[in-house]
Amino acid sequence: MNVQRAVTAGLLGGVIVDLFLILARVAPFPGVYQFIASTVVGPVAFTSGSYIALGVVMHLLISICFALAYAFVAKRSRALL
């Protein structure tokens, strides 16, 4: 498994999904990241814009984890290659 490729794919995928959701007006810009941060800190995330950075970091980490999991499974399954 190439970890660097999986991390790059996770970051790129997370950014592309975010851009699409924000530009298509499916998810409002600051609110979506505050929502993600609220899963850790609770409703207080909606009271300050400083939690936006936490939401962005959490979202990108989740994207990287999904890419790593896919790479791990793809390495062991011929159907996904």
Side-chain angles (χ1 to χ4, degrees):
M1 172 174 56
N2 192 340
V3 175
Q4 286 180 334
R5 284 186 181 180
V7 170
T8 302
L11 288 172
L12 189 59
V15 169
I16 289 171
V17 166
D18 284 348
L19 284 175
F20 172 75
L21 292 175
I22 291 168
L23 293 176
R25 300 189 189 272
V26 174
F29 166 62
V32 68
Y33 297 117
Q34 288 173 318
F35 175 75
I36 293 169
S38 73
T39 62
V40 174
V41 297
V44 72
F46 296 103
T47 62
S48 174
S50 62
Y51 290 102
I52 295 171
L54 176 63
V56 169
V57 169
M58 288 176 57
H59 177 68
L60 293 176
L61 285 175
I62 291 166
S63 296
I64 291 169
C65 289
F66 272 103
L68 285 169
Y70 182 85
F72 178 77
V73 170
K75 179 89 171 168
R76 283 146 180 74
S77 171
R78 292 182 184 252
L80 295 176
L81 294 177

